Amino acid sequence: MGLLSRKVTCNSHGQDSSYFLGWQEYEKNPYDEVKNPKGIIQMGLAENQLSFDLLESWLAKNPEAASFKRDGQSIFKELALFQDYHGLPAFKKALVDFMSEIRGNKVTFDTNNIVLTAGATSANETLMFCLAEKGDAFLLPTPYYPGFDRDLKWRTGAEIVPIVCTSSNGFKITESALEEAYQEAQRRNLRVKGVLVTNPSNPLGTTMTRTELDLLVNFISDKEIHLISDEIYAGTVFSSPAFISIMEVLKDRKLESSQVWERVHVVYSLSKDLGLPGFRVGAIYSNDPIVVAAATKMSSFGLVSSQTQFLLSAMLSDKKFTKEYLSKNHKRLQKRQNKLVSGLEKAGISCLESNAGLFCWVDMRHLLSSNTFEAEMELWKRIVYDVKLNISPGSSCHCTEPGWFRVCFANMSEDTLKLAMQRLKSFVSSITINNQSHQELKNTRRKNRNKWVFRLSFQSFHDREQEER
Protein backbone atom coordinates (compact mmCIF):
# COMPACT_ATOMS: atom_id res chain seq x y z
CA MET A 1 0.00 0.00 0.00
CA GLY A 2 2.98 2.30 0.52
CA LEU A 3 3.38 2.57 -3.25
CA LEU A 4 -0.13 4.01 -3.63
CA SER A 5 -1.24 7.59 -3.08
CA ARG A 6 -3.23 8.67 -0.04
CA LYS A 7 -6.10 9.54 -2.37
CA VAL A 8 -6.41 5.86 -3.30
CA THR A 9 -6.46 4.65 0.29
CA CYS A 10 -8.54 7.41 1.92
CA ASN A 11 -12.21 6.87 2.78
CA SER A 12 -13.60 10.28 1.82
CA HIS A 13 -15.39 9.20 -1.37
CA GLY A 14 -18.66 8.61 0.45
CA GLN A 15 -19.21 5.18 -1.10
CA ASP A 16 -20.13 3.80 2.33
CA SER A 17 -23.16 6.12 2.54
CA SER A 18 -26.52 4.37 2.82
CA TYR A 19 -27.42 6.19 -0.40
CA PHE A 20 -24.87 4.10 -2.31
CA LEU A 21 -25.33 0.98 -0.18
CA GLY A 22 -28.97 0.84 -1.21
CA TRP A 23 -27.89 0.85 -4.84
CA GLN A 24 -25.51 -2.02 -4.18
CA GLU A 25 -28.29 -4.11 -2.65
CA TYR A 26 -30.54 -3.34 -5.62
CA GLU A 27 -27.84 -4.44 -8.07
CA LYS A 28 -27.57 -7.79 -6.27
CA ASN A 29 -31.31 -8.44 -6.59
CA PRO A 30 -32.91 -6.13 -9.20
CA TYR A 31 -36.66 -6.33 -9.74
CA ASP A 32 -37.83 -7.59 -13.12
CA GLU A 33 -41.49 -8.11 -13.91
CA VAL A 34 -40.78 -11.49 -15.56
CA LYS A 35 -37.34 -12.69 -14.48
CA ASN A 36 -37.30 -11.52 -10.86
CA PRO A 37 -40.77 -10.31 -9.70
CA LYS A 38 -39.75 -10.49 -6.02
CA GLY A 39 -36.59 -8.44 -6.48
CA ILE A 40 -35.78 -4.99 -5.12
CA ILE A 41 -37.52 -2.10 -6.90
CA GLN A 42 -35.16 0.80 -7.55
CA MET A 43 -36.69 3.96 -6.08
CA GLY A 44 -33.34 5.56 -5.24
CA LEU A 45 -32.47 6.60 -8.80
CA ALA A 46 -33.48 10.11 -9.92
CA GLU A 47 -33.85 9.28 -13.59
CA ASN A 48 -36.54 10.42 -16.03
CA GLN A 49 -37.76 7.53 -18.19
CA LEU A 50 -41.25 8.93 -18.82
CA SER A 51 -40.60 10.63 -22.17
CA PHE A 52 -38.22 8.37 -24.07
CA ASP A 53 -40.90 7.78 -26.70
CA LEU A 54 -40.72 11.47 -27.61
CA LEU A 55 -36.95 11.30 -28.06
CA GLU A 56 -37.13 8.09 -30.07
CA SER A 57 -39.88 9.54 -32.24
CA TRP A 58 -37.68 12.53 -33.04
CA LEU A 59 -34.76 10.24 -33.92
CA ALA A 60 -36.97 8.23 -36.26
CA LYS A 61 -38.03 11.42 -38.04
CA ASN A 62 -34.45 12.76 -38.20
CA PRO A 63 -32.26 9.85 -39.31
CA GLU A 64 -29.50 12.13 -40.62
CA ALA A 65 -28.64 13.37 -37.14
CA ALA A 66 -28.48 9.86 -35.70
CA SER A 67 -26.36 8.58 -38.62
CA PHE A 68 -23.99 11.58 -38.54
CA LYS A 69 -24.94 13.05 -41.88
CA ARG A 70 -25.28 16.63 -43.08
CA ASP A 71 -27.20 17.34 -46.28
CA GLY A 72 -27.08 13.65 -47.10
CA GLN A 73 -23.28 13.43 -46.75
CA SER A 74 -21.49 11.54 -43.98
CA ILE A 75 -19.56 13.70 -41.52
CA PHE A 76 -18.41 10.74 -39.45
CA LYS A 77 -14.73 11.46 -40.13
CA GLU A 78 -15.17 15.12 -39.23
CA LEU A 79 -16.69 14.20 -35.90
CA ALA A 80 -14.27 11.36 -35.19
CA LEU A 81 -11.14 13.48 -35.58
CA PHE A 82 -9.73 15.74 -32.86
CA GLN A 83 -11.94 18.51 -31.50
CA ASP A 84 -10.68 21.13 -29.06
CA TYR A 85 -12.20 21.59 -25.61
CA HIS A 86 -14.28 24.62 -26.52
CA GLY A 87 -17.06 22.44 -27.96
CA LEU A 88 -19.03 22.63 -31.20
CA PRO A 89 -20.40 26.18 -31.69
CA ALA A 90 -23.71 24.84 -33.03
CA PHE A 91 -24.25 22.75 -29.93
CA LYS A 92 -23.33 25.53 -27.50
CA LYS A 93 -25.81 27.83 -29.25
CA ALA A 94 -28.55 25.18 -29.15
CA LEU A 95 -27.85 24.47 -25.47
CA VAL A 96 -28.00 28.09 -24.26
CA ASP A 97 -31.21 28.61 -26.26
CA PHE A 98 -32.72 25.52 -24.61
CA MET A 99 -31.68 26.82 -21.18
CA SER A 100 -33.46 30.11 -21.94
CA GLU A 101 -36.56 28.30 -23.20
CA ILE A 102 -36.82 26.31 -19.96
CA ARG A 103 -36.69 29.59 -18.03
CA GLY A 104 -39.51 31.08 -20.09
CA ASN A 105 -37.01 33.18 -22.07
CA LYS A 106 -36.86 35.57 -19.11
CA VAL A 107 -33.07 35.31 -19.25
CA THR A 108 -30.60 34.75 -22.06
CA PHE A 109 -27.23 33.04 -21.96
CA ASP A 110 -24.04 33.96 -23.84
CA THR A 111 -22.22 31.08 -25.57
CA ASN A 112 -18.90 32.75 -24.62
CA ASN A 113 -19.70 32.17 -20.95
CA ILE A 114 -20.52 28.46 -21.11
CA VAL A 115 -18.15 25.54 -20.51
CA LEU A 116 -19.14 22.02 -21.53
CA THR A 117 -18.44 19.22 -19.05
CA ALA A 118 -19.09 15.48 -18.77
CA GLY A 119 -22.24 15.90 -16.71
CA ALA A 120 -23.11 18.03 -13.69
CA THR A 121 -20.80 15.95 -11.46
CA SER A 122 -17.82 17.18 -13.46
CA ALA A 123 -19.23 20.73 -13.57
CA ASN A 124 -19.56 21.01 -9.80
CA GLU A 125 -16.12 19.55 -9.13
CA THR A 126 -14.53 21.83 -11.72
CA LEU A 127 -16.10 24.86 -10.02
CA MET A 128 -14.68 23.69 -6.69
CA PHE A 129 -11.21 23.57 -8.25
CA CYS A 130 -11.74 27.06 -9.67
CA LEU A 131 -13.19 28.72 -6.56
CA ALA A 132 -11.71 26.97 -3.51
CA GLU A 133 -8.40 25.84 -2.10
CA LYS A 134 -7.98 22.63 -0.16
CA GLY A 135 -9.59 23.16 3.24
CA ASP A 136 -11.88 26.00 2.09
CA ALA A 137 -15.60 25.56 2.71
CA PHE A 138 -18.86 25.86 0.84
CA LEU A 139 -22.16 26.18 2.69
CA LEU A 140 -24.96 23.82 1.57
CA PRO A 141 -28.59 23.83 2.78
CA THR A 142 -29.82 20.55 4.22
CA PRO A 143 -31.06 18.15 3.12
CA TYR A 144 -28.78 17.96 0.08
CA TYR A 145 -27.89 15.45 -2.66
CA PRO A 146 -25.69 12.72 -1.08
CA GLY A 147 -23.33 12.71 -4.08
CA PHE A 148 -22.11 16.19 -3.19
CA ASP A 149 -19.93 14.66 -0.48
CA ARG A 150 -18.09 12.96 -3.32
CA ASP A 151 -18.40 15.58 -6.07
CA LEU A 152 -17.33 18.60 -4.04
CA LYS A 153 -14.89 17.15 -1.51
CA TRP A 154 -13.18 13.95 -2.59
CA ARG A 155 -10.57 15.15 -5.07
CA THR A 156 -10.64 18.89 -4.33
CA GLY A 157 -10.10 18.74 -0.57
CA ALA A 158 -12.85 21.32 -0.07
CA GLU A 159 -15.17 21.09 2.93
CA ILE A 160 -18.97 21.26 3.27
CA VAL A 161 -20.64 23.09 6.15
CA PRO A 162 -24.40 22.48 6.38
CA ILE A 163 -26.98 25.25 6.43
CA VAL A 164 -29.47 23.54 8.73
CA CYS A 165 -33.02 23.74 7.36
CA THR A 166 -35.97 22.11 9.12
CA SER A 167 -39.49 20.87 8.48
CA SER A 168 -40.94 23.68 10.60
CA ASN A 169 -40.97 25.94 7.51
CA GLY A 170 -40.80 23.33 4.74
CA PHE A 171 -36.97 23.20 4.80
CA LYS A 172 -36.64 26.75 3.46
CA ILE A 173 -33.42 28.72 3.88
CA THR A 174 -33.50 31.42 6.54
CA GLU A 175 -31.16 34.30 7.32
CA SER A 176 -30.40 32.89 10.76
CA ALA A 177 -29.54 29.47 9.30
CA LEU A 178 -27.15 31.06 6.81
CA GLU A 179 -25.43 33.10 9.50
CA GLU A 180 -25.17 30.13 11.86
CA ALA A 181 -23.52 28.02 9.13
CA TYR A 182 -21.06 30.82 8.41
CA GLN A 183 -20.21 31.14 12.11
CA GLU A 184 -19.82 27.36 12.39
CA ALA A 185 -17.28 27.42 9.56
CA GLN A 186 -15.36 30.14 11.35
CA ARG A 187 -15.41 28.13 14.60
CA ARG A 188 -13.83 25.30 12.60
CA ASN A 189 -11.24 27.71 11.16
CA LEU A 190 -12.57 27.18 7.64
CA ARG A 191 -12.54 29.98 5.09
CA VAL A 192 -15.97 30.18 3.48
CA LYS A 193 -15.69 30.61 -0.29
CA GLY A 194 -19.34 30.33 -1.21
CA VAL A 195 -22.81 28.81 -1.01
CA LEU A 196 -24.07 26.02 -3.25
CA VAL A 197 -27.79 25.36 -3.71
CA THR A 198 -29.82 23.05 -5.94
CA ASN A 199 -32.84 24.78 -7.44
CA PRO A 200 -35.18 22.97 -7.86
CA SER A 201 -34.07 21.08 -4.79
CA ASN A 202 -32.77 17.54 -4.73
CA PRO A 203 -34.10 15.84 -2.56
CA LEU A 204 -37.05 18.10 -1.67
CA GLY A 205 -38.56 18.44 -5.16
CA THR A 206 -39.36 22.11 -4.52
CA THR A 207 -38.42 25.38 -6.21
CA MET A 208 -36.77 28.12 -4.19
CA THR A 209 -38.84 31.20 -3.43
CA ARG A 210 -37.90 34.70 -4.56
CA THR A 211 -37.41 35.58 -0.89
CA GLU A 212 -34.83 32.80 -0.48
CA LEU A 213 -33.01 33.78 -3.68
CA ASP A 214 -32.88 37.45 -2.67
CA LEU A 215 -31.59 36.37 0.73
CA LEU A 216 -28.79 34.39 -0.90
CA VAL A 217 -27.77 37.28 -3.16
CA ASN A 218 -27.69 39.65 -0.18
CA PHE A 219 -25.69 37.13 1.85
CA ILE A 220 -22.96 36.52 -0.73
CA SER A 221 -22.78 40.25 -1.40
CA ASP A 222 -22.31 40.99 2.29
CA LYS A 223 -19.78 38.19 2.84
CA GLU A 224 -18.02 38.74 -0.52
CA ILE A 225 -18.24 35.06 -1.48
CA HIS A 226 -19.50 32.97 -4.43
CA LEU A 227 -22.87 31.38 -5.17
CA ILE A 228 -23.27 28.21 -7.24
CA SER A 229 -26.81 27.50 -8.37
CA ASP A 230 -27.18 23.89 -9.54
CA GLU A 231 -30.22 24.11 -11.83
CA ILE A 232 -30.17 20.66 -13.43
CA TYR A 233 -33.86 20.10 -12.55
CA ALA A 234 -35.02 23.44 -14.01
CA GLY A 235 -36.99 21.73 -16.78
CA THR A 236 -38.82 19.33 -14.43
CA VAL A 237 -41.03 21.99 -12.78
CA PHE A 238 -44.55 20.67 -13.43
CA SER A 239 -46.73 22.94 -11.28
CA SER A 240 -46.73 26.29 -9.53
CA PRO A 241 -44.91 28.12 -8.15
CA ALA A 242 -42.83 28.70 -11.28
CA PHE A 243 -39.08 28.19 -11.37
CA ILE A 244 -36.97 31.30 -10.85
CA SER A 245 -33.36 31.09 -12.00
CA ILE A 246 -30.72 32.93 -10.02
CA MET A 247 -29.83 34.71 -13.27
CA GLU A 248 -33.34 36.14 -13.42
CA VAL A 249 -32.92 37.55 -9.90
CA LEU A 250 -29.61 39.20 -10.79
CA LYS A 251 -31.10 40.82 -13.89
CA ASP A 252 -34.25 41.97 -12.09
CA ARG A 253 -32.08 43.63 -9.47
CA LYS A 254 -29.89 45.18 -12.19
CA LEU A 255 -26.70 43.69 -10.77
CA GLU A 256 -24.95 43.18 -14.14
CA SER A 257 -22.34 45.83 -13.33
CA SER A 258 -21.80 44.77 -9.73
CA GLN A 259 -19.10 42.47 -8.35
CA VAL A 260 -21.80 39.94 -7.43
CA TRP A 261 -22.49 39.39 -11.15
CA GLU A 262 -19.14 37.61 -11.57
CA ARG A 263 -19.48 35.62 -8.35
CA VAL A 264 -22.65 33.75 -9.33
CA HIS A 265 -22.26 30.56 -11.36
CA VAL A 266 -24.88 28.18 -12.78
CA VAL A 267 -24.54 24.42 -13.28
CA TYR A 268 -26.73 22.71 -15.85
CA SER A 269 -27.11 19.26 -17.42
CA LEU A 270 -29.33 17.32 -19.82
CA SER A 271 -29.40 14.30 -17.52
CA LYS A 272 -32.68 15.20 -15.80
CA ASP A 273 -34.57 17.62 -18.06
CA LEU A 274 -34.01 15.53 -21.20
CA GLY A 275 -33.51 12.18 -19.44
CA LEU A 276 -30.05 11.56 -20.92
CA PRO A 277 -27.65 10.82 -18.03
CA GLY A 278 -25.73 8.32 -20.16
CA PHE A 279 -24.83 11.02 -22.69
CA ARG A 280 -22.83 12.86 -19.99
CA VAL A 281 -23.72 16.42 -21.02
CA GLY A 282 -23.20 19.11 -18.42
CA ALA A 283 -22.28 22.78 -18.38
CA ILE A 284 -20.92 25.61 -16.27
CA TYR A 285 -22.24 29.09 -16.93
CA SER A 286 -20.27 31.95 -15.39
CA ASN A 287 -19.99 35.70 -15.99
CA ASP A 288 -16.40 35.65 -14.74
CA PRO A 289 -14.07 35.34 -17.77
CA ILE A 290 -11.24 34.04 -15.58
CA VAL A 291 -13.42 31.21 -14.25
CA VAL A 292 -14.63 30.41 -17.78
CA ALA A 293 -11.05 30.28 -19.11
CA ALA A 294 -9.82 28.05 -16.27
CA ALA A 295 -12.85 25.75 -16.36
CA THR A 296 -12.48 25.39 -20.14
CA LYS A 297 -8.90 24.19 -19.70
CA MET A 298 -9.97 21.79 -16.94
CA SER A 299 -12.75 20.40 -19.14
CA SER A 300 -10.03 18.51 -21.05
CA PHE A 301 -10.39 15.86 -18.33
CA GLY A 302 -14.09 15.35 -19.03
CA LEU A 303 -15.17 16.30 -22.53
CA VAL A 304 -18.50 15.73 -24.25
CA SER A 305 -17.97 13.66 -27.40
CA SER A 306 -18.35 15.40 -30.76
CA GLN A 307 -20.89 12.79 -31.87
CA THR A 308 -23.09 13.57 -28.85
CA GLN A 309 -22.81 17.30 -29.45
CA PHE A 310 -23.74 16.93 -33.12
CA LEU A 311 -26.81 14.81 -32.41
CA LEU A 312 -28.09 17.03 -29.61
CA SER A 313 -27.44 20.27 -31.46
CA ALA A 314 -29.85 19.05 -34.14
CA MET A 315 -32.41 17.93 -31.56
CA LEU A 316 -32.33 21.08 -29.41
CA SER A 317 -32.37 23.35 -32.46
CA ASP A 318 -35.74 21.89 -33.42
CA LYS A 319 -37.92 24.37 -31.52
CA LYS A 320 -41.16 22.64 -32.40
CA PHE A 321 -39.79 19.48 -30.79
CA THR A 322 -38.41 21.15 -27.63
CA LYS A 323 -41.68 22.99 -27.03
CA GLU A 324 -43.71 19.79 -27.38
CA TYR A 325 -41.25 17.79 -25.30
CA LEU A 326 -41.21 20.21 -22.37
CA SER A 327 -45.01 20.49 -22.34
CA LYS A 328 -45.69 16.76 -22.49
CA ASN A 329 -42.88 15.91 -20.09
CA HIS A 330 -44.24 18.32 -17.47
CA LYS A 331 -47.71 16.75 -17.71
CA ARG A 332 -46.29 13.24 -17.40
CA LEU A 333 -44.16 14.16 -14.40
CA GLN A 334 -47.12 15.73 -12.63
CA LYS A 335 -49.33 12.72 -13.33
CA ARG A 336 -46.67 10.30 -12.07
CA GLN A 337 -45.96 12.39 -8.98
CA ASN A 338 -49.68 12.38 -8.20
CA LYS A 339 -49.66 8.57 -8.49
CA LEU A 340 -46.87 8.34 -5.93
CA VAL A 341 -48.49 10.80 -3.53
CA SER A 342 -51.83 8.98 -3.81
CA GLY A 343 -50.20 5.61 -3.21
CA LEU A 344 -48.37 6.94 -0.16
CA GLU A 345 -51.58 8.42 1.25
CA LYS A 346 -53.31 5.04 0.94
CA ALA A 347 -50.47 3.61 3.02
CA GLY A 348 -50.95 6.34 5.63
CA ILE A 349 -47.82 8.23 4.60
CA SER A 350 -47.54 11.92 3.71
CA CYS A 351 -44.82 13.89 1.98
CA LEU A 352 -43.61 17.45 1.57
CA GLU A 353 -45.68 19.34 -1.00
CA SER A 354 -43.57 19.53 -4.15
CA ASN A 355 -43.73 20.93 -7.66
CA ALA A 356 -40.57 19.72 -9.40
CA GLY A 357 -37.99 16.99 -9.68
CA LEU A 358 -38.21 13.23 -10.10
CA PHE A 359 -38.87 12.37 -6.44
CA CYS A 360 -40.81 13.21 -3.31
CA TRP A 361 -39.52 13.97 0.19
CA VAL A 362 -41.48 11.45 2.21
CA ASP A 363 -42.34 11.71 5.91
CA MET A 364 -42.12 8.34 7.71
CA ARG A 365 -41.41 9.72 11.17
CA HIS A 366 -44.51 8.02 12.55
CA LEU A 367 -43.07 4.62 11.57
CA LEU A 368 -39.89 5.03 13.62
CA SER A 369 -39.51 3.03 16.82
CA SER A 370 -37.85 6.11 18.35
CA ASN A 371 -36.92 9.62 17.22
CA THR A 372 -33.32 8.69 16.37
CA PHE A 373 -31.21 8.11 13.30
CA GLU A 374 -30.58 4.58 14.55
CA ALA A 375 -34.32 3.98 14.26
CA GLU A 376 -34.30 5.56 10.79
CA MET A 377 -31.59 3.13 9.65
CA GLU A 378 -33.49 0.24 11.20
CA LEU A 379 -36.62 1.23 9.23
CA TRP A 380 -34.61 1.79 6.05
CA LYS A 381 -33.04 -1.69 6.26
CA ARG A 382 -36.48 -3.28 6.68
CA ILE A 383 -37.76 -1.39 3.64
CA VAL A 384 -34.76 -2.45 1.53
CA TYR A 385 -34.42 -6.08 2.69
CA ASP A 386 -38.01 -7.02 3.63
CA VAL A 387 -40.23 -4.74 1.54
CA LYS A 388 -37.62 -4.77 -1.23
CA LEU A 389 -37.75 -1.09 -2.13
CA ASN A 390 -34.56 0.91 -2.42
CA ILE A 391 -35.26 4.42 -1.13
CA SER A 392 -32.81 6.98 0.24
CA PRO A 393 -32.83 7.73 3.98
CA GLY A 394 -32.80 11.36 5.03
CA SER A 395 -29.59 10.89 6.99
CA SER A 396 -27.75 10.17 3.72
CA CYS A 397 -28.93 13.63 2.61
CA HIS A 398 -27.71 15.13 5.91
CA CYS A 399 -31.24 15.89 7.10
CA THR A 400 -31.16 16.80 10.79
CA GLU A 401 -34.57 15.20 11.51
CA PRO A 402 -34.87 11.39 11.55
CA GLY A 403 -37.62 9.75 9.51
CA TRP A 404 -37.54 11.52 6.14
CA PHE A 405 -36.82 9.60 2.91
CA ARG A 406 -36.35 10.48 -0.75
CA VAL A 407 -38.51 8.31 -3.02
CA CYS A 408 -38.12 8.49 -6.82
CA PHE A 409 -41.04 7.97 -9.21
CA ALA A 410 -39.93 8.62 -12.81
CA ASN A 411 -37.47 5.76 -13.40
CA MET A 412 -40.03 2.93 -13.60
CA SER A 413 -43.26 1.95 -15.27
CA GLU A 414 -46.62 2.85 -13.78
CA ASP A 415 -47.25 -0.84 -13.01
CA THR A 416 -43.96 -1.08 -11.12
CA LEU A 417 -44.84 2.02 -9.09
CA LYS A 418 -48.23 0.50 -8.29
CA LEU A 419 -46.54 -2.69 -7.07
CA ALA A 420 -44.11 -0.66 -4.97
CA MET A 421 -47.01 1.14 -3.29
CA GLN A 422 -48.78 -2.18 -2.64
CA ARG A 423 -45.65 -3.54 -0.97
CA LEU A 424 -45.29 -0.42 1.15
CA LYS A 425 -48.96 -0.41 2.18
CA SER A 426 -48.74 -4.06 3.30
CA PHE A 427 -45.63 -3.26 5.29
CA VAL A 428 -47.20 -0.26 7.04
CA SER A 429 -50.30 -2.34 7.82
CA SER A 430 -48.16 -5.06 9.37
CA ILE A 431 -46.38 -2.47 11.52
CA THR A 432 -49.73 -1.05 12.64
CA ILE A 433 -51.08 -4.51 13.51
CA ASN A 434 -47.89 -5.41 15.36
CA ASN A 435 -47.97 -2.10 17.25
CA GLN A 436 -51.63 -2.65 18.13
CA SER A 437 -50.90 -6.20 19.29
CA HIS A 438 -47.94 -4.94 21.29
CA GLN A 439 -50.07 -2.21 22.84
CA GLU A 440 -52.86 -4.67 23.63
CA LEU A 441 -50.32 -6.98 25.26
CA LYS A 442 -48.98 -4.05 27.30
CA ASN A 443 -52.52 -3.08 28.32
CA THR A 444 -53.33 -6.68 29.32
CA ARG A 445 -50.15 -6.88 31.38
CA ARG A 446 -50.97 -3.54 32.98
CA LYS A 447 -54.48 -4.73 33.87
CA ASN A 448 -53.16 -8.00 35.27
CA ARG A 449 -50.50 -6.14 37.21
CA ASN A 450 -53.16 -3.80 38.65
CA LYS A 451 -55.33 -6.78 39.62
CA TRP A 452 -52.33 -8.42 41.24
CA VAL A 453 -51.45 -5.22 43.13
CA PHE A 454 -55.09 -4.90 44.22
CA ARG A 455 -55.21 -8.51 45.43
CA LEU A 456 -51.91 -8.10 47.22
CA SER A 457 -53.09 -4.90 48.87
CA PHE A 458 -56.40 -6.51 49.84
CA GLN A 459 -54.62 -9.55 51.30
CA SER A 460 -52.27 -7.31 53.31
CA PHE A 461 -55.24 -5.36 54.65
CA HIS A 462 -57.05 -8.61 55.56
CA ASP A 463 -53.94 -9.95 57.31
CA ARG A 464 -53.51 -6.77 59.34
CA GLU A 465 -57.20 -6.86 60.28
CA GLN A 466 -56.79 -10.44 61.53
CA GLU A 467 -53.74 -9.46 63.59
CA GLU A 468 -55.60 -6.55 65.18
CA ARG A 469 -58.39 -8.90 66.21
Side-chain angles (χ1 to χ4, degrees):
M1 296 295 285
L3 295 177
L4 301 177
S5 72
R6 279 180 289 180
K7 186 66 66 181
V8 170
T9 56
C10 75
N11 192 33
S12 60
H13 179 275
Q15 194 70 32
D16 57 349
S17 163
S18 52
Y19 173 75
F20 292 110
L21 293 178
W23 279 40
Q24 292 173 18
E25 293 307 312
Y26 163 76
E27 289 168 357
K28 294 175 188 175
N29 183 25
Y31 167 81
D32 183 271
E33 185 178 359
V34 177
K35 298 178 181 178
N36 190 20
K38 294 185 178 180
I40 296 175
I41 296 175
Q42 174 64 291
M43 304 188 83
L45 175 61
E47 191 171 73
N48 184 8
Q49 297 183 18
L50 302 185
S51 298
F52 266 110
D53 62 309
L54 302 179
L55 301 173
E56 290 172 336
S57 175
W58 184 90
L59 289 172
K61 294 174 183 176
N62 296 270
E64 279 205 346
S67 56
F68 309 124
K69 290 182 178 180
R70 184 189 297 128
D71 299 325
Q73 300 297 313
S74 173
I75 58 167
F76 176 79
K77 182 178 180 181
E78 177 185 331
L79 295 173
L81 295 178
F82 175 77
Q83 303 284 344
D84 70 22
Y85 46 50
H86 290 93
L88 300 182
F91 174 62
K92 293 173 76 172
K93 177 65 167 60
L95 182 60
V96 296
D97 287 348
F98 185 62
M99 291 170 64
S100 295
E101 183 179 4
I102 284 173
R103 291 157 180 79
N105 292 309
K106 295 176 181 178
V107 290
T108 57
F109 297 91
D110 186 341
T111 55
N112 293 316
N113 293 354
I114 198 164
V115 180
L116 301 181
T117 63
T121 295
S122 177
N124 279 311
E125 185 187 55
T126 298
L127 278 174
M128 286 297 109
F129 276 123
C130 289
L131 306 180
E133 302 288 354
K134 181 179 180 180
D136 288 345
F138 263 74
L139 311 181
L140 272 68
T142 63
Y144 62 78
Y145 166 55
F148 281 149
D149 292 319
R150 169 200 64 199
D151 302 351
L152 308 183
K153 295 170 56 178
W154 186 40
R155 297 198 299 185
T156 67
E159 296 291 337
I160 293 175
V161 176
I163 303 167
V164 178
C165 302
T166 67
S167 62
S168 61
N169 70 342
F171 296 97
K172 290 181 174 60
I173 298 173
T174 63
E175 185 176 3
S176 59
L178 277 169
E179 191 58 43
E180 174 56 33
Y182 191 86
Q183 296 300 326
E184 173 61 23
Q186 291 192 321
R187 284 192 288 269
R188 292 168 54 184
N189 293 319
L190 299 174
R191 181 173 59 167
V192 177
K193 296 303 292 289
V195 179
L196 186 150
V197 297
T198 57
N199 182 30
S201 168
N202 175 11
L204 299 179
T206 57
T207 48
M208 296 184 72
T209 64
R210 180 60 187 254
T211 299
E212 290 177 281
L213 294 169
D214 280 329
L215 179 64
L216 287 169
V217 171
N218 294 341
F219 183 77
I220 68 159
S221 177
D222 178 55
K223 303 297 185 184
E224 298 184 342
I225 57 178
H226 294 273
L227 173 62
I228 300 173
S229 182
D230 186 330
E231 300 182 357
I232 68 170
Y233 289 96
T236 69
V237 181
F238 49 78
S239 64
S240 60
F243 170 70
I244 304 172
S245 172
I246 191 64
M247 298 304 296
E248 184 179 342
V249 175
L250 296 181
K251 291 194 173 185
D252 284 351
R253 293 177 56 167
K254 297 179 171 53
L255 295 174
E256 291 93 335
S257 300
S258 70
Q259 292 183 344
V260 171
W261 181 250
E262 292 190 351
R263 295 207 305 271
V264 175
H265 320 275
V266 174
V267 168
Y268 188 60
S269 164
L270 296 179
S271 297
K272 311 303 181 181
D273 289 354
L274 214 56
L276 298 174
F279 276 35
R280 308 309 305 146
V281 179
I284 295 168
Y285 189 86
S286 176
N287 292 307
D288 186 338
I290 298 176
V291 170
V292 172
T296 301
K297 294 171 187 174
M298 291 182 188
S299 70
S300 293
F301 299 99
L303 296 173
V304 182
S305 75
S306 300
Q307 295 90 337
T308 299
Q309 292 185 56
F310 174 76
L311 171 61
L312 293 179
S313 65
M315 181 180 287
L316 297 182
S317 296
D318 186 342
K319 291 307 168 188
K320 181 180 178 181
F321 166 75
T322 57
K323 182 179 180 181
E324 178 187 19
Y325 178 88
L326 290 171
S327 176
K328 289 186 176 180
N329 189 52
H330 290 164
K331 291 176 182 176
R332 293 178 183 187
L333 286 172
Q334 183 168 29
K335 180 181 177 183
R336 181 57 64 82
Q337 190 252 20
N338 289 341
K339 291 278 186 183
L340 174 62
V341 172
S342 175
L344 290 169
E345 287 177 348
K346 290 176 182 177
I349 299 172
S350 62
C351 54
L352 184 73
E353 186 175 353
S354 60
N355 66 320
L358 311 173
F359 33 73
C360 286
W361 189 237
V362 179
D363 185 359
M364 298 192 191
R365 288 176 291 180
H366 62 295
L367 299 178
L368 299 182
S369 58
S370 63
N371 187 32
T372 62
F373 286 109
E374 289 77 14
E376 178 183 279
M377 291 308 297
E378 177 187 322
L379 177 61
W380 174 73
K381 288 177 181 177
R382 292 186 66 184
I383 292 174
V384 172
Y385 294 108
D386 299 339
V387 189
K388 291 187 168 52
L389 303 177
N390 176 38
I391 63 177
S392 306
S395 54
S396 71
C397 302
H398 299 270
C399 183
T400 57
E401 301 174 16
W404 291 89
F405 294 81
R406 192 192 74 167
V407 180
C408 299
F409 57 76
N411 63 316
M412 67 196 77
S413 69
E414 192 170 316
D415 287 341
T416 302
L417 178 61
K418 184 177 180 181
L419 174 61
M421 293 299 96
Q422 289 172 348
R423 288 183 181 182
L424 190 58
K425 184 179 180 181
S426 297
F427 171 67
V428 174
S429 297
S430 69
I431 288 182
T432 303
I433 292 171
N434 288 338
N435 287 345
Q436 287 176 346
S437 299
H438 181 65
Q439 188 61 44
E440 288 171 1
L441 180 61
K442 286 174 66 178
N443 291 340
T444 301
R445 287 175 175 170
R446 189 179 294 113
K447 289 178 182 178
N448 290 338
R449 185 166 62 249
N450 290 341
K451 288 179 181 177
W452 182 78
V453 170
F454 173 76
R455 287 172 182 167
L456 184 62
S457 300
F458 178 79
Q459 184 64 44
S460 299
F461 173 77
H462 179 72
D463 291 345
R464 285 198 303 272
E465 194 176 47
Q466 290 294 332
E467 289 174 3
E468 289 173 1
R469 286 177 182 173

